């Protein structure tokens, strides 16, 4: 009787990778040959579009960082998007820790609070 030797782990990994790639290729081919159907979009009103546009920032976090640094703020630690504006934790020109509220569209500092 002939006994089978266990497969080596590298061979098992190669077979697993090959079957994964084959599955991905099959899925990609099926997706490419599927007929495209238009997706229905719900009707939008001017108010809904305006409200959504107000919530999407025009400035990126990098833009805000650069503007705050150019304005003299240093040690910028956190920049987070919240309710149409960025919240920034930094140090002002005097070295005091501050929390800033920055307009997400213009980059203007709306509020500056010194943190104790």
């Amino acid at each position: 009787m002939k006994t089978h030797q266990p497969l080596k782990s590298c061979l098992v990994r190669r077979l697993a990778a090959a079957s994964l790639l084959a599955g991905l290729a099959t899925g990609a081919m099926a997706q490419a040959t599927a007929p495209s159907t238009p997706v229905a979009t719900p009707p939008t009103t001017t108010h809904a579009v305006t409200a959504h546009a107000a919530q999407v920032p025009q400035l990126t976090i990098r833009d805000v960082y650069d503007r705050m640094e150019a304005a003299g703020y240093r040690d910028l630690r956190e920049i987070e998007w919240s309710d149409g504006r960025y919240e920034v934790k930094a140090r002002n020109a005097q070295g005091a820790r501050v929390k800033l509220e920055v307009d997400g569209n213009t980059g203007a500092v709306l509020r500056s609070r010194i943190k104790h």
Side-chain angles (χ1 to χ4, degrees):
M1 261 191 353
K2 196 174 191 182
T3 60
H4 295 287
Q5 292 182 344
L7 293 175
K8 294 187 177 187
S9 62
C10 66
L11 180 60
V12 171
R13 277 187 258 141
R14 285 183 184 173
L15 288 173
S19 62
L20 176 64
L21 289 174
L24 290 173
T26 303
M29 287 180 3
Q31 189 176 22
T33 59
S36 64
T37 57
V39 177
T41 57
T44 59
T45 62
T46 305
H47 178 69
V49 171
T50 305
H52 178 67
Q55 295 299 316
V56 177
Q58 290 182 350
L59 298 175
T60 64
I61 289 176
R62 184 69 205 184
D63 293 334
V64 172
Y65 183 94
D66 292 341
R67 288 176 188 233
M68 295 302 98
E69 195 171 54
Y73 294 99
R74 299 288 178 248
D75 195 23
L76 292 125
R77 292 188 179 261
E78 292 181 31
I79 301 176
E80 296 178 348
W81 176 253
S82 176
D83 297 327
R85 57 182 59 124
Y86 285 101
E87 293 178 0
V88 180
K89 293 181 181 176
R91 291 195 181 271
N92 64 13
Q94 293 76 33
R97 288 183 9 199
V98 292
K99 184 174 183 180
L100 308 168
E101 290 182 12
V102 179
D103 187 284
N105 295 317
T106 65
V109 177
L110 303 172
R111 185 175 185 184
S112 175
R113 292 180 281 171
I114 295 179
K115 302 293 280 180
H116 298 284

